[in-house]
């Protein structure tokens, strides 16, 4: 297996960025295997992948070598990931298991790079069996209306396991701003509506009430404002005449599974840059 | 060409409705060629089509025969349409012609039953050529911020032509409640977002700002509350990373065309029942 | 929980079928809760559902009552299912587990009516763990090129468990005509292409070779002719430029899962009628 | 309006291609505004766009400057287009006008870069009115079973107008290999099925016969083998139970319009490279 790595880079847009990025790699005798860039005319975003021998031992070694280049651009920032580095995914769930099962099965099928699920935290004891089947450490943490009552126990588990990414698999509880800040890694949520429609609780009921002809799901990075974070992935499915709220929930599960699994995949393959509360998602 | 007709029927749900409806037609020696029904457990909705000989001269003849049956159900109402009756479609437009062109071409292609476009009213003189190409009576009516200044001229044209349906092909002006009430026929609008997201002006700009991954269009019957009417049809298209607002507008045009044309088709084939600010759309 | 049942009915099309079907139920004091019918002008197909009290003890009791009515139509046939009757689903699989996992999880989630997975037969010992996690009886049956070598062992298991439906979850072996005939129940297959394109082995490779822009999956009832059976469900997903065969296989798995799960659902809810090598699929 | 141009480049894949391409532009003081590349590990494909001042007067000037660079790669070939250069689109049609109308309207709406429709050739006199409405030169050329009888007249028109691209808008006649070779420009066809399914005449009838659940359309570059050319775009739409062949044709028209219009757009924006009977389509 060849070593492979990727660089996510962003800066103010100007003439000549592509040439300078590419030159850095050529001068390091590294061949870019995949190059993808976007601009909104103000800002420039790129993702570069390379495979095989390269002069850098690890991410911090690359950072030392590249930071001089990055400094030559205005408002630049970058992130590098070496795919031989193991990643830990932590999962939260309430009683609805469908998105959780999907994430676990895809992880087991090897769809996420070098990724292990380090814990499953749930406020429902029923959920334990899904963890047990896959030998995932399970932690029951009861939740209350006030997050201050349960977040300390959850945070302790986070600090112990140090996940690289947290996935909220229909966790259905609002996280405090403090929790989000202290989690130490990005948090991906799945919301069961096509945001920004139907924020908050009971989106299928609201969708039924409004009589929409398509229902959807949205996966986004979590920020303190509820359901307002940068969107990673969305999809929809058609509602047929006569579909009840219950039927909408049933067909919606499929969309939620797909959208959440795709968002985790994009995050774990380091194919996202968030900027201005939007997510640039690379192919 | 066989005569054909359809009945749209609704009433409070209870046991035995289907049998009684069907019995009425059997007793009239009329064979139902298409039967479609839905219920939300409180209310029952059905559409029946029949072809060939039948004992009724026209819609009011049918109404006289059927109203006794209808009265035997609670909160019943019905509408009948005989497809040999010509229908008149009136169109409104501002300067964006794409949904207008689509509606005109589909009407010309015979996709709407026995339908003629009786007028095109626009606040843009540029639009005239699209009417001329198809010999559609064109009326330029300048618009102001205050609808009271231009609605009387429009209403005069409506009263003269008596359309059976009005289509707002990206007309982009708010109609007064009085205008909607006095139009004398349903009004179908196309809104360039996936409602209820991005109500009002500049939906593509808002969609870009929020970073959604799909953009959409919505066609609905017009009610006094802006973009709040019962939805007839919606569809979406995927936004690619790097897509500008202008590009979103371009790919959105395709969705708007399709959604508006489908909504007109459903309305003109008498396949919609509105109820509780929702639209039951039959296949 | 109310009792519920459904009737699938087909006959030569003629005037008055709907009225006569509905009359039978009215005369039995049974209220139809769902009625759906289609015709291709030669043939008529309907599915009726009812809930609550009814005069029939079970399917054979209904058959006795209804067969007189059925006989009054030309070329009629019908099938009735009472949803309180437990159903057994037998699964076959080779080494690719994704469609299998999907079917098992949906069955566990209660998406199929009163259904239990009665066995999982596989030619791959690796597959056993997916059965064990869900306490499904697992049987390893080695396969050869010649089905005569392994089909007797499989048939013995079928005769022992008597499944109501068999699902081939990427089983990838051709069944003999004799096996299909003797299975005693319908068999649903998932083929990893958009049939009739790319029949047989290696469809993703063939799709890549042809340069198609969408890849798909097809679920169909099995008949002796390979990949020629009546199609129940199909879906597709877009291929992006640069996608390799391996990537197509990966994104295709999602479509295969969805299509196979939907086909099983339609079969187990008794929403399919096969006729003239086509499947009428009810909503 | 800034000048803009694009380069389409392909060669055998090896290390360092991106760096060398980019260096050429940097050394020419030209800033790349859009860069997109794909590889199948054997071959490398890229499209580069640039805007604003550049040192080249026109395409042949660029070719002279770039051919030295291209020669340094194995099996390289390239194509450059300057968007200020007008393009001529020639259209062929039989009696079905829907794809033709769509192409004409999109051209008029400015969706194709600097493009004029230079002729419409049809074997149906009915089609003339669609040309007249838009002041497009119309030529009626009667067709026979043997293309040798009508192709000379068509070829004369081609040699007179010298189109840059020919679009077959449901032309429905097979072109001779000689005609394809002598046309002097690429030819884009729309086929009314999801190829490779249902090649040749009557694809909707065949789709109905096979009972597929989705029907589609395919746009491809024309080669002598019927419906075998490199595919540019495909899309599908769902068939509902009970849909007749006629209804499939009706809903299929929408897909055909979209697919054909997209294929013309991709071709006219110079976003396609054909290779090994496949089309690389850039975003």
């Amino acid at each position: 297996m060849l070593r492979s790595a990727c660089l996510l880079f962003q800066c103010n847009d100007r003439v000549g960025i592509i040439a300078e990025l590419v030159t850095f790699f050529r001068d390091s005798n590294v061949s870019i295997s995949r190059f993808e860039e976007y601009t909104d005319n103000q800002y420039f975003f790129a993702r570069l992948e390379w495979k095989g021998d390269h002069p850098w031992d690890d991410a911090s070694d690359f950072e030392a070598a590249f930071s001089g280049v990055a400094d030559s651009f205005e408002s630049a920032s970058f992130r590098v990931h070496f795919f031989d580095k193991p990643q830990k995914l932590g999962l939260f769930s309430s009683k609805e298991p469908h998105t959780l099962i999907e994430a676990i099965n895809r992880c087991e099928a090897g769809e996420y790079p070098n990724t292990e699920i380090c814990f499953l935290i749930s406020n429902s004891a029923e959920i334990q069996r899904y963890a047990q089947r896959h030998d995932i450490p399970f932690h029951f943490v009861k939740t209350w209306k006030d997050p201050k009552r349960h977040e300390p126990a959850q945070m302790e588990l986070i600090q112990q396991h140090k996940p690289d990414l947290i996935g909220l698999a229909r966790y259905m509880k609002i996280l405090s701003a403090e929790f989000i800040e202290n989690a130490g890694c990005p948090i991906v949520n799945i919301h069961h509506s096509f945001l920004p429609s139907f924020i908050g609780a009971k989106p299928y009921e609201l969708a039924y009430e409004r009589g929409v002809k398509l229902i959807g799901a949205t996966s986004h990075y979590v920020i303190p404002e509820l359901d307002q974070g940068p969107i990673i992935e969305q999809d929809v499915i058609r509602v047929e005449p006569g579909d009840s709220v219950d039927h909408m929930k049933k067909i919606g599960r499929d969309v939620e599974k797909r959208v959440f699994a795709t968002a985790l995949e994009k995050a774990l393959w380091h194919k996202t840059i968030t900027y201005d509360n939007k997510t640039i998602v690379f192919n």
Side-chain angles (χ1 to χ4, degrees), chain A:
Chain A
M1 188 74 172
L2 285 176
R3 295 185 68 189
S4 70
C6 73
L7 169 68
L8 291 159
F9 177 82
Q10 68 191 97
C11 66
N12 284 359
D13 200 13
R14 66 149 162 85
V15 165
I17 300 171
I18 296 174
E20 291 172 47
L21 285 178
V22 165
T23 299
F24 167 80
F25 284 88
R26 197 195 50 189
D27 293 351
S28 309
N29 283 313
V30 169
S31 172
I32 297 160
S33 58
R34 188 85 186 84
F35 181 90
E36 202 176 334
E37 53 82 22
Y38 301 104
T39 176
D40 64 359
N41 293 320
Q42 289 197 293
Y43 233 62
F44 172 90
F45 308 91
R47 185 178 183 276
L48 296 88
E49 248 184 62
W50 58 98
K51 288 203 175 90
D53 286 340
H54 61 203
W56 310 295
D57 290 340
D58 55 21
S60 52
D61 199 24
F62 177 88
E63 283 160 21
F66 185 70
S67 52
V69 179
D71 288 349
S72 69
F73 299 98
E74 215 175 320
S75 306
S77 66
F78 69 93
R79 220 167 75 223
V80 68
H81 180 71
F82 283 45
F83 288 110
D84 50 11
K85 183 168 173 276
Q87 300 187 99
K88 287 190 282 185
L89 171 64
L91 293 172
F92 281 65
S93 141
S94 293
K95 66 176 199 288
E96 289 262 26
H98 54 284
T99 52
L100 174 70
I101 293 171
E102 187 75 12
I104 292 173
N105 280 314
R106 286 187 189 242
C107 196
E108 185 177 90
E111 294 193 10
Y112 305 143
N114 212 345
T115 301
E116 183 197 23
I117 298 174
C118 60
F119 63 68
L120 169 56
I121 295 173
S122 181
N123 54 14
S124 163
E126 304 262 309
I127 288 297
Q128 182 159 14
R129 59 175 163 160
Y130 303 108
Q132 276 174 335
R133 282 174 185 166
H134 298 265
D135 293 321
I136 296 165
F138 178 80
H139 304 279
F140 173 79
V141 178
K142 193 169 157 61
T143 56
W144 282 267
K145 200 169 174 188
D146 179 0
K148 284 194 196 119
R149 295 185 65 180
H150 54 260
E151 287 189 348
Q154 295 170 338
M155 189 52 73
E156 206 172 304
L157 289 161
I158 289 174
Q159 277 157 1
Q160 181 188 325
H161 288 283
K162 296 195 172 36
D164 297 288
L165 186 74
I166 291 173
L168 306 181
R170 291 291 301 264
Y171 170 56
M172 307 298 287
K173 303 295 293 183
I174 296 171
L175 308 186
S176 72
E178 203 190 342
F179 184 90
I180 297 167
E181 200 189 327
N182 293 335
C185 70
I187 304 173
V188 171
N189 185 42
I190 174 74
H191 182 72
H192 40 315
S193 86
F194 186 77
L195 290 176
S197 293
F198 315 130
I199 285 170
K202 301 208 168 292
Y204 288 118
E205 283 80 358
L206 294 171
Y208 180 85
E209 202 53 46
R210 181 60 189 93
V212 291
K213 298 306 181 193
L214 301 165
I215 52 171
T218 304
S219 213
H220 60 90
Y221 286 114
V222 175
I223 62 171
E225 291 72 30
L226 181 65
D227 296 335
Q228 300 287 343
I231 294 169
I232 308 168
E233 173 69 354
Q234 300 189 290
D235 209 351
V236 294
I237 193 168
R238 193 159 285 272
V239 174
E240 300 297 330
D243 280 355
S244 62
V245 172
D246 279 348
H247 191 76
M248 285 165 63
K249 287 180 183 174
K250 187 201 155 293
I251 60 172
R253 288 206 292 262
D254 247 15
V255 185
E256 294 170 37
K257 284 158 62 176
R258 207 157 67 225
V259 166
F260 184 56
T262 300
L264 291 181
E265 184 186 323
K266 292 296 187 180
L268 291 163
W269 282 97
H270 297 269
K271 294 190 169 184
T272 70
I273 295 178
T274 59
Y275 169 68
D276 199 15
N277 207 39
K278 290 191 269 287
T279 313
I280 311 291
V281 182
F282 294 88
N283 284 315

